[in-house]
């Protein structure tokens, strides 16, 4: 049996903290309908000792059948008491005016949610047959999107390298999964049955079979967070009518990584704050506002020219409306601080 004490990782990794010998014993022999086990769930953390979380789920049942592993990670990451997930896509009663109409600070705004299917395994565990069936079902549903959301699907398999690289550079398209996702099986059969859907104006996008089965994205230049949010909410209303996603009342929408559970929403801006970002307390300021910092080419990337990707940290135990408000208030504060320096 796996001996947790012999596994060398950074001590702050949530897997290291919560996957005790007792948890391993309790979950020994537990196998979910799509073959996920405690050993598979912690493999990425073992292979990547610098992980901050280190665990992934393989299917919706992982969260209940392997709950002694996942629940403590979920509680700590989201600061959540497991009391029930609530959704609210309204923007009633809150400020929504553009915070940076001249575009001096906010270059672009992007809001995405992750979604997986109740009947299929997640990208970490899905079979190649199911991945192909799922792609067809997703594309069929996306073809029903009305008006400005209507668009076309571009499969990765067969896409020219030039086109692919340009779409990645333009912040539209995902890359092959990093070493954290590689460890957990997300890159199997790459690039088959992966792709991207674009609305004609390129403001609404869907990634198919990246870390989650779907990443549904609204994005545009500038700081009109409300317009980006409303476009996403409208698209989700149509998509929800055609696809049945993995969900429960405690954990909300199920995602491959427990950090994305709940709303599965990451609302971000690319913001140019060279003075503030060079100051010693930048990380603390963002942490106090409940915001995470990423580089300008996404997670685990570096930044340049004082431009950062700033987004909500929590996705569970918070509604979509509260995430909007947190990003809105945070961006307002960051602009004020930059101006004051
Ligand atoms: P996620 O987990 O939300 O999918 P990643 O960190 O993997 O995000 O980033 C995916 C892509 O989206 C990257 O190219 C990143 O630069 C881009 N991106 C994220 N936020 C914004 C934003 N506000 N404006 C433009 N591009 C963005
Ligand atoms: N598994 C990686 C880690 O533990 C990434 C976790 C969060 N990011 C993500 N894309 N799910 O550091």
């Amino acid at each position: 049996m796996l001996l947790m004490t012999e596994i060398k990782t950074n001590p702050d990794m949530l897997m290291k903290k919560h996957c005790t010998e007792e948890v391993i014993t309790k979950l020994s022999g537990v196998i979910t309908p799509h073959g996920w086990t405690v050993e598979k769930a912690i493999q990425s953390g073992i292979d990547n000792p610098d992980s901050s979380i280190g665990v992934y789920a393989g299917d919706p049942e992982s969260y209940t059948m392997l709950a002694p592993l996942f629940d403590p990670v979920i509680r700590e990451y989201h600061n959540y008491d497991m009391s029930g997930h609530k959704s609210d896509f309204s923007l009633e009663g809150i400020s929504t005016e553009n915070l940076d109409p001249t575009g001096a600070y906010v270059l672009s705004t992007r809001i995405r949610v992750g979604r997986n299917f109740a009947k299929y395994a997640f990208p970490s565990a899905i079979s190649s047959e199911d991945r192909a069936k799922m792609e067809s079902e997703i594309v069929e549903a996306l073809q029903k999107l009305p008006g400005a959301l209507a668009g076309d699907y571009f499969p990765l398999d067969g896409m020219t390298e030039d086109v692919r690289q340009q779409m990645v550079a333009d912040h539209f398209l995902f890359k092959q999964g990093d070493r954290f996702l590689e460890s957990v099986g997300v890159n199997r059969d790459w690039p088959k049955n992966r792709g991207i859907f674009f609305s004609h104006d390129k403001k609404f996008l869907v990634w198919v079979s990246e870390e989650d089965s779907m990443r549904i994205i609204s994005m545009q230049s500038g700081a009109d967070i409300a317009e980006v949010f409303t476009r996403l909410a409208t698209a989700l209303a149509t998509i929800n009518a055609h696809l049945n996603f993995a969900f429960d009342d405690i954990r909300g929408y199920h995602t491959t990584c427990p950090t994305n559970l709940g709303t599965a929403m990451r609302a971000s801006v690319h913001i140019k704050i060279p003075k503030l970002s060079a100051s010693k307390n930048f990380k603390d300021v963002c942490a106090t506002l409940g915001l995470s910092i990423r580089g300008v080419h996404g997670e685990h990337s570096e930044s340049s020219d004082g431009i950062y990707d700033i987004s909500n940290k929590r996705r569970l135990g918070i509604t979509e409306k509260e995430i909007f408000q947190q990003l809105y208030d945070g961006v307002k504060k960051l602009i004020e601080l930059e101006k004051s320096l």
Side-chain angles (χ1 to χ4, degrees), residues 107-150:
L107 280 69
S108 53
T109 303
R110 174 182 184 268
I111 309 182
R112 61 82 165 160
V113 295
R115 293 288 185 266
N116 293 280
F117 288 75
K119 64 178 175 179
Y120 292 126
F122 302 160
S124 44
I126 198 165
S127 66
S128 48
E129 294 76 23
D130 278 356
R131 195 190 295 111
K133 271 201 271 176
M134 188 174 75
E135 182 190 35
S136 308
E137 288 170 33
I138 293 173
V139 173
E140 197 184 320
L142 295 177
Q143 279 161 351
K144 298 194 168 78
L145 284 164
L149 297 169

Side-chain angles (χ1 to χ4, degrees), residues 108-110 112 168 171 173 207 210 215 219 266 268-270 294 296-299 309:
S108 53
T109 303
R110 174 182 184 268
R112 61 82 165 160
V168 170
H171 305 286
L173 184 59
W207 291 356
E210 194 245 6
R215 284 280 170 95
M219 66 191 278
R266 192 172 83 88
S268 68
V269 290
H270 276 179
R294 291 186 179 185
V296 80
H297 293 291
E299 194 175 24
D309 170 331

Side-chain angles (χ1 to χ4, degrees), residues 158-170 173:
M159 187 180 280
T160 69
E161 188 52 18
D162 284 356
V163 169
R164 191 195 66 79
Q165 278 183 16
Q166 190 59 51
M167 281 200 211
V168 170
D170 291 342
L173 184 59

Side-chain angles (χ1 to χ4, degrees), residues 212-269:
D212 289 307
S213 298
M214 295 174 79
R215 284 280 170 95
I216 304 171
I217 304 162
S218 170
M219 66 191 278
Q220 68 191 49
S221 302
D224 195 338
I225 309 177
E227 190 170 299
V228 174
F229 184 92
T230 304
R231 180 184 305 109
L232 181 64
T234 309
L236 287 174
T238 303
I239 293 172
N240 285 340
H242 298 290
L243 298 173
N244 183 22
F245 294 127
F247 177 90
D248 76 64
D249 292 336
I250 305 292
R251 300 169 191 85
Y253 287 100
H254 294 177
T255 50
T256 307
C257 180
T259 60
N260 281 315
L261 287 167
T263 59
M265 175 176 277
R266 192 172 83 88
S268 68
V269 290

Side-chain angles (χ1 to χ4, degrees), residues 44 50-54 56 180 211 257 259-260 294 299-300:
S44 186
D50 57 337
S51 298
S52 50
I53 315 297
Y56 289 101
F180 303 92
E211 177 176 327
C257 180
T259 60
N260 281 315
R294 291 186 179 185
E299 194 175 24
H300 306 125

